[in-house]
Amino acid sequence: MDKLKNKFAEKALPKASEIKEFIKENGDFVLGQYNLDAVFSGQKGMIGLITETSLLDAEEGIRFRGYSIPELSDKLPKVTGGNEPLPEGLFYLMLTGDLPSEEDVHDVTNNWARRAIVPKHVFNVIDAFPLNAHPMTQFSAAIMALQTESEFAAAYRKGVNKKDYWDYTYEDTMNLIARLPRVAAYIYRKTYKFSEHIEPNPKLDWAGNFAHMLGYSNEGFSELMRLYMTIHADHEGGNVSAHTTHLVGSALSDPYLSLSAAMNGLAGPLHGLANQEVIRWVLELQAELGGGKPSKQQIEDYIHKTINEGKVVPGYGHAVLRKTDPRFTAQMEFAKKHMPNDELVNIVWDIYDITPTVLGTIKKIKNPWPNVDAHSGALLLHYGMKEYDFYTVLFGVSRALGVLASLIWDRTLGLPLERPKSVTTDWLKKTIAAKKASA
Ligand code: CMX
């Protein structure tokens, strides 16, 4: 058993028994009530999921196992000479609940490097797509192609005992995370760089190696990838990609099937695709004005134009958050350090100055503040990654860390098939009418 698996088993198996006892003792505790509005508003705020890896607060933002992003920046190990947290460390923390030592993080890096070989047929599947296939379509399909390697699916077919599900889910998760950067970089180089592929360098950390395979040798870009892969990894359980992983996994679909499904959700413009939409929106604004830096008035006019055309302002708003997303702030801090004079970054900051006030005047919008996607594209463009259709794939590689760590917990806790009740509007009308009549 590898060291992380051993550590996880030591922590999680007793925890699973403890949680079973906790449910037995408190099963009848009432958590809340919901009304018809809640049902028609996408179940916002209804507690219906257990996710151990992170918890979101509307005002404060995300905490991973109790740690905020600034705390993680301070406490998670870094590469020698680096400033950004290593995503390996965040994965360790999300999985075990403990902060990793430098050595723990090193072990995870080596563990993933050992597992990183991608079978040839996966590359063939990617190569079969036309160049105009969206990178997220290619990414989701490539994860499906990787499913031939699922140890969970193979073990299930052989008749594995339920109590060992977590073990095979762990193996699939580790293999999948190890291989995703290679798969994603392959898609990037195939689609945009004439299929001039770059072999992995197993001596590098996971995110550093990803930057290398994408073809970016600037250390600033590697640092950005470490930060990016850390802050996008998890956002509690109800967001579309996390919930999808959990839902599909609840049918005992293996981690490959679950993650591929999640990536199809992440590819939606109200979720992860917003990161490409932000840059598209800013570039269109610039193009409309004939280039250069728009004035604040021009930005304000463009926001109004967007709203009047019945569209959303990408990168702003959130289903849970009611303040500036700390993931936005973390990227802003990075930009202040590495590229304070970058024109596009400064436009993003001007948009941040103006948009909350404008959106704040529209009553129906619950959160006028920026989310994670409002800033990321400008950072990537600064280092020369101009192919914005690829940005959501970067989000997807990172998101795998959180949702798959959660899936291991799902299988450890023996969480059941998810199956909420649905009703028809007719049923609601009849039920409400009957209740009113009897009152
Ligand atoms: N621009 C314009 N209108 C917006 C808006 C925005 N940025 N944010 C919300 N609204 C509108 C909604 O479209 C909705 O309008 P209708 O009632 O006409 O449908 C209304 O305001 C109420 O929405 P809400 O309750 O404030 O927000 P939701 O919880 O329904 O949706 C989100 C949240 C993120 C989908 C929404 O704010 C949005 O579309 N933002 C832009 C897209 C975006 O940045 N998505 C990325 C989110 C982060 C991520 O997952 O990566």
Side-chain angles (χ1 to χ4, degrees):
M1 209 188 262
D2 70 49
K3 271 163 115 177
L4 179 59
K5 191 169 173 184
N6 213 7
K7 161 98 184 175
F8 176 76
E10 265 174 36
K11 297 257 333 184
L13 301 183
K15 187 88 189 157
S17 312
E18 183 202 310
I19 290 172
K20 274 205 179 101
E21 262 324 290
F22 167 77
I23 300 167
K24 218 193 263 173
E25 273 172 35
N26 300 288
D28 56 1
F29 184 83
V30 178
L31 274 174
Q33 287 185 323
Y34 60 92
N35 56 20
L36 188 140
D37 270 346
V39 173
F40 274 94
S41 70
Q43 305 178 61
K44 308 264 166 53
M46 286 163 61
I47 298 173
L49 295 163
I50 298 297
T51 300
E52 304 287 10
T53 46
S54 66
L55 185 65
L56 187 56
D57 179 82
E59 303 292 320
E60 192 196 45
I62 192 70
R63 277 185 182 266
F64 302 91
R65 293 282 187 179
Y67 295 100
S68 67
I69 288 175
E71 284 166 355
L72 288 184
S73 291
D74 183 40
K75 290 183 192 314
L76 286 180
K78 305 169 178 66
V79 286
T80 314
N83 284 310
E84 301 305 332
L86 283 162
E88 289 92 324
L90 178 69
F91 181 76
Y92 184 104
L93 173 69
M94 288 192 291
L95 194 62
T96 67
D98 288 346
L99 280 171
S101 65
E102 303 253 348
E103 193 193 329
D104 293 329
V105 165
H106 217 76
D107 285 341
V108 177
T109 304
N110 292 337
N111 193 329
W112 288 347
R114 279 198 305 277
R115 295 169 183 262
I117 294 172
V118 175
K120 178 141 191 342
H121 73 270
V122 177
F123 298 132
N124 293 342
V125 166
I126 297 168
D127 285 336
F129 276 98
L131 286 181
N132 66 356
H134 194 280
M136 279 303 278
T137 307
Q138 301 186 53
F139 190 52
S140 172
I143 295 168
M144 288 298 289
L146 269 173
Q147 195 262 350
T148 51
E149 311 306 295
S150 173
E151 296 189 19
F152 183 92
Y156 195 86
R157 184 173 274 233
K158 276 196 203 135
V160 64
N161 191 308
K162 284 176 182 205
K163 70 176 177 37
D164 296 326
Y165 286 169
W166 72 268
D167 187 325
Y168 296 95
T169 306
Y170 174 90
E171 292 300 327
D172 278 358
T173 292
M174 294 294 275
N175 288 336
L176 193 38
I177 292 174
R179 291 164 194 175
L180 285 177
R182 176 80 166 117
V183 167
Y186 192 92
I187 292 168
Y188 181 69
R189 305 285 311 174
K190 176 226 143 185
T191 310
Y192 303 112
K193 305 289 174 186
F194 311 104
S195 285
E196 288 166 2
H197 297 293
I198 300 170
E199 288 297 313
N201 178 353
K203 292 202 181 95
L204 295 172
D205 58 292
W206 182 75
N209 189 33
F210 188 20
H212 156 76
M213 289 186 288
L214 287 165
Y216 291 82
S217 50
N218 185 311
E219 186 49 28
F221 187 81
S222 299
E223 279 285 87
L224 174 61
M225 279 300 101
R226 292 174 192 122
L227 174 69
Y228 192 114
M229 293 295 133
T230 300
I231 61 177
H232 286 78
D234 208 34
H235 220 224
E236 75 170 31
N239 66 76
V240 172
S241 50
H243 189 185
T244 305
T245 310
H246 170 78
L247 169 67
V248 175
S250 85
L252 297 186
S253 304
D254 61 61
Y256 296 87
L257 299 172
S258 306
L259 186 70
S260 177
M263 291 303 104
N264 295 336
L266 193 74
L270 297 190
H271 191 17
L273 203 81
N275 62 7
Q276 77 165 48
E277 292 303 292
V278 167
I279 285 303
R280 228 157 58 79
W281 187 83
V282 177
L283 296 181
E284 277 172 16
L285 157 65
Q286 273 188 306
E288 209 161 284
L289 301 171
K293 193 167 179 284
S295 71
K296 293 197 174 181
Q297 186 58 52
Q298 285 169 324
I299 293 173
E300 184 174 340
D301 293 346
Y302 199 66
I303 296 169
H304 285 300
K305 179 171 178 277
T306 303
I307 306 271
N308 292 339
E309 286 171 352
K311 301 188 227 165
V312 296
V313 178
Y316 282 77
H318 199 271
V320 181
L321 285 169
R322 295 295 175 257
K323 283 269 167 69
T324 296
D325 189 334
R327 300 173 298 175
F328 176 92
T329 312
Q331 295 178 87
M332 197 170 175
E333 295 301 321
F334 184 92
K336 281 182 188 162
K337 197 151 78 188
H338 294 269
M339 58 199 75
N341 300 318
D342 182 284
E343 183 180 77
L344 200 73
V345 164
N346 279 273
I347 296 176
V348 164
W349 294 346
D350 282 352
I351 294 171
Y352 178 38
D353 272 349
I354 293 157
T355 311
T357 312
V358 179
L359 295 187
T361 61
I362 303 172
K363 215 170 149 217
K364 68 176 182 182
I365 298 179
K366 296 192 192 68
N367 177 35
W369 299 100
N371 59 57
V372 66
D373 300 315
H375 211 310
S376 54
L379 302 179
L380 294 165
L381 260 167
H382 174 82
Y383 291 109
M385 186 180 267
K386 58 183 186 311
E387 304 87 359
Y388 51 71
D389 275 6
F390 186 74
Y391 293 172
T392 312
V393 176
L394 298 176
F395 195 157
V397 173
S398 168
R399 184 47 59 100
L401 301 178
V403 299
L404 293 177
S406 271
L407 195 63
I408 299 173
W409 272 96
D410 290 354
R411 296 290 74 81
T412 309
L413 299 179
L415 295 183
L417 184 80
E418 187 178 305
R419 207 316 186 175
K421 173 79 183 128
S422 75
V423 293
T424 61
T425 311
D426 255 1
W427 181 94
L428 278 176
K429 284 178 183 164
K430 280 184 196 143
T431 307
I432 291 170
K435 187 133 200 180
K436 282 183 178 162
S438 71

